Amino acid sequence: MASSLTLTDAPGRLVAALNRPEARNAIDRRMVDELHAVCADLERSPRTLILTGSDGVFASGADIAELRERRRDDALAGINSTLFARIAGLPMPVIAALDGYALGGGAELAFAADFRLGTPRLRIGNPETGLGILPAAGATWRLKELVGEPLALEILLAGRILSAEEALDARLITEIHAPEDLLPAAHALADRIARQDPLAVRITKSVFHAPREAHPMIDQLAQSILFESDAKFDRMQRFLDRKKGS
């Protein structure tokens, strides 16, 4: 059976392209399992993940034929939510490069990323209530953190689908690029991340996602680790040397 992902390694990053063209990249159990394997790789060998689609589609949603057969125990198992939480918790940043449809589970996968870039033909939202279910893989809480409660409720309860410009205005995505420029733009962002100290990036991501009540203690503890790192001394010395030479 063919893989539902196309994986490409590059320096400091891994590109995972969803590749089920016959189903508009709908997320099925096989894709979930393969994305778990990607996570296991990135947990062992931390690097930036670029998630993208294929054939002008990111992910049209969950596989409805498969979803139709799921029952209570499947919901309680959190098949998609467990995966998306694992993706959100990866050590290094996750970039979602979104083209065409990013709907339902596809939108929730995008919400789990740290960065979202889009194309002019992006359409993103959560139409689950129209199918008699709710978006249970992160949208009910991640979306209001990303765009605010009023717009999140319109998306979740009234089925509003955002265009690329609307998503940009809401800061759900941060950049719009022509389809042929989307993946290069994601790589350019990954390049900027790669220029930072990897340990500082990992720790900053963890601190950023810590609960409010953990601050400022967690910031101070994290900084105490970085203050002892070789990279801190080396990078600061290079900065001072450049300043002295200018």
Side-chain angles (χ1 to χ4, degrees):
M1 184 179 293
S3 172
S4 63
L5 300 177
T6 302
L7 302 178
T8 307
D9 260 308
R13 74 211 60 172
L14 174 68
V15 180
L18 312 187
N19 188 28
R20 295 189 68 217
E22 75 285 356
R24 292 187 174 183
N25 296 336
I27 300 169
D28 64 355
R29 187 59 186 264
R30 178 164 57 99
M31 185 182 289
V32 167
D33 291 342
E34 291 179 7
L35 283 169
H36 271 298
V38 167
C39 289
D41 175 28
L42 295 174
E43 288 159 355
R44 287 190 302 267
S45 178
R47 53 207 193 276
T48 295
L49 172 63
I50 298 175
L51 285 169
T52 191
S54 55
D55 292 340
V57 176
F58 179 66
S60 60
D63 189 297
I64 301 301
E66 189 177 273
L67 198 61
R68 167 67 177 78
E69 301 306 314
R70 290 184 183 172
R71 305 302 293 265
R72 176 187 59 204
D73 289 347
D74 297 305
L76 292 174
I79 295 169
N80 285 4
S81 61
T82 300
L83 170 65
F84 298 167
R86 190 175 186 183
I87 289 172
L90 285 171
M92 292 293 283
V94 178
I95 302 167
L98 308 171
D99 189 17
Y101 293 120
L103 300 175
E108 291 181 298
L109 174 57
F111 300 158
D114 299 293
F115 303 94
R116 284 164 295 279
L117 314 179
T119 71
R121 59 193 182 192
L122 173 64
R123 296 296 180 268
I124 186 167
N126 290 92
E128 281 90 342
T129 53
L131 295 171
I133 59 174
L134 63 84
T140 56
W141 55 278
R142 281 198 181 102
L143 189 54
K144 65 182 176 183
E145 293 177 353
L146 292 168
V147 303
E149 188 170 301
L151 180 56
L153 285 172
E154 190 173 357
I155 293 168
L156 297 173
L157 303 185
R160 179 174 174 182
I161 305 299
L162 300 184
S163 68
E165 288 292 344
E166 290 169 331
L168 182 66
D169 288 343
R171 304 302 292 167
L172 186 56
I173 62 174
T174 55
E175 300 173 16
I176 297 176
H177 298 276
E180 63 272 19
D181 296 328
L182 180 63
L183 196 54
H187 279 291
L189 177 54
D191 288 340
R192 298 201 301 272
I193 293 167
R195 289 195 288 270
Q196 315 309 309
D197 173 50
L199 180 61
V201 170
R202 289 182 62 178
I203 291 181
T204 300
K205 177 176 175 176
S206 296
V207 170
F208 182 87
H209 290 295
R212 175 65 182 84
E213 57 272 17
H215 301 277
M217 181 56 68
I218 191 171
D219 304 69
Q220 295 162 2
L221 292 172
Q223 190 75 297
S224 72
I225 294 170
L226 292 172
F227 270 12
E228 298 296 325
S229 72
D230 291 340
K232 174 249 188 177
F233 290 100
D234 292 343
R235 285 172 174 263
M236 288 191 176
Q237 189 60 54
R238 288 199 298 271
F239 173 85
L240 293 171
D241 291 344
R242 287 196 303 271
K243 187 176 180 182
K244 187 184 302 182
S246 62

